[in-house]
Amino acid sequence: MSWQAYVDTSLVATGNLDKAAIFNSEGDSVWAHSPGFTVRSPVDSPNHLLALNAIFPLLETRCPLDFESLETYRKFEIWLSQATDPLTLHSQVAPSEIKEVVTAYKDKSDVKQVQSNGLRIGGDRYVVIKADDRSLYGKKGKEGIVIVKTTQAILVTHYPETVQPGAAAKTVEELGDYLTSVGY
């Protein structure tokens, strides 16, 4: 089965999750993702600059920045990633967010820093309710995230408020068990 098939069939098609992505264990490569959970390009990517320039006219009245310099552009991206308007691409996972996940897995203390600070995924902040060597669970109201690390991959998923957290966790944990059993 392809990585995209795992996202489409084993995760999202179950109805227990509405968004999912699979990264390598270091978080620097995206193997697959659902359409509603894309991965944001790095800041200095020309394609990323073009995409943000395309939506800038929609946001002109909300952000007074121009794009005359890369530094100004980076300020705009920070503003955009912290905004709460639906036009601000909330379904995108920023590279800094996946790095936070990787850092959480490397944290071997009794109370992980991510449990104190929470976790951002797709621009939204989640309160971390479980953090161990394999799994991170986060909640934001009635919706949440389930993140599972296998030998070579990190499964990052989101469930909507209509799904029970246990059902979402079971779906992701079972795929994590399977991938671990076959060496991934």
Side-chain angles (χ1 to χ4, degrees), residues 95 104 143 179:
E143 66 184 76
L179 291 174

Side-chain angles (χ1 to χ4, degrees), residues 18-102:
D18 60 351
K19 302 172 193 170
I22 301 176
F23 293 83
N24 71 338
S25 62
E26 290 302 312
D28 54 13
S29 177
V30 183
W31 292 351
H33 61 85
S34 62
F37 211 48
T38 57
V39 180
R40 191 179 306 162
S41 304
V43 170
D44 39 12
S45 160
N47 291 337
H48 189 65
L49 181 59
L50 291 174
L52 283 177
N53 276 330
I55 67 163
F56 183 72
L58 300 172
L59 302 171
E60 242 175 354
T61 60
R62 300 171 199 187
C63 177
L65 299 177
D66 61 30
F67 290 117
E68 290 183 17
S69 71
L70 187 55
E71 181 181 331
T72 304
Y73 167 73
R74 286 191 172 133
K75 287 179 185 175
F76 177 76
E77 189 192 53
I78 291 167
W79 173 84
L80 185 62
S81 71
Q82 295 171 348
T84 57
D85 190 294
L87 289 174
T88 61
L89 311 173
H90 268 262
S91 293
Q92 295 190 338
V93 179
S96 60
E97 293 172 339
I98 193 65
K99 286 183 190 210
E100 258 186 80
V101 170
V102 171

Side-chain angles (χ1 to χ4, degrees), residues 5-183:
Y6 286 125
V7 166
D8 297 340
T9 307
S10 300
L11 296 173
V12 177
T14 65
N16 293 329
L17 304 157
D18 60 351
K19 302 172 193 170
I22 301 176
F23 293 83
N24 71 338
S25 62
E26 290 302 312
D28 54 13
S29 177
V30 183
W31 292 351
H33 61 85
S34 62
F37 211 48
T38 57
V39 180
R40 191 179 306 162
S41 304
V43 170
D44 39 12
S45 160
N47 291 337
H48 189 65
L49 181 59
L50 291 174
L52 283 177
N53 276 330
I55 67 163
F56 183 72
L58 300 172
L59 302 171
E60 242 175 354
T61 60
R62 300 171 199 187
C63 177
L65 299 177
D66 61 30
F67 290 117
E68 290 183 17
S69 71
L70 187 55
E71 181 181 331
T72 304
Y73 167 73
R74 286 191 172 133
K75 287 179 185 175
F76 177 76
E77 189 192 53
I78 291 167
W79 173 84
L80 185 62
S81 71
Q82 295 171 348
T84 57
D85 190 294
L87 289 174
T88 61
L89 311 173
H90 268 262
S91 293
Q92 295 190 338
V93 179
S96 60
E97 293 172 339
I98 193 65
K99 286 183 190 210
E100 258 186 80
V101 170
V102 171
T103 300
Y105 282 120
K106 291 178 179 179
D107 183 352
K108 300 301 179 195
S109 57
D110 287 339
V111 177
K112 295 178 181 273
Q113 187 173 356
V114 72
Q115 290 172 291
S116 302
N117 298 339
L119 190 61
R120 284 195 176 277
I121 296 292
D124 292 323
R125 185 181 177 280
Y126 294 87
V127 174
V128 175
I129 56 174
K130 176 181 179 179
D132 60 31
D133 291 342
R134 175 186 157 105
S135 305
L136 298 170
Y137 296 179
K139 293 273 292 176
K140 185 187 101 179
K142 292 183 179 182
E143 66 184 76
I145 54 171
V146 178
I147 303 172
V148 173
K149 185 177 186 307
T150 67
T151 309
Q152 297 183 39
I154 298 175
L155 312 175
V156 180
T157 65
H158 176 272
Y159 61 89
E161 60 184 43
T162 56
V163 173
Q164 291 295 316
K170 183 176 189 267
T171 300
V172 184
E173 295 284 359
E174 284 177 351
L175 180 58
D177 289 341
Y178 171 74
L179 291 174
T180 300
S181 74
V182 294

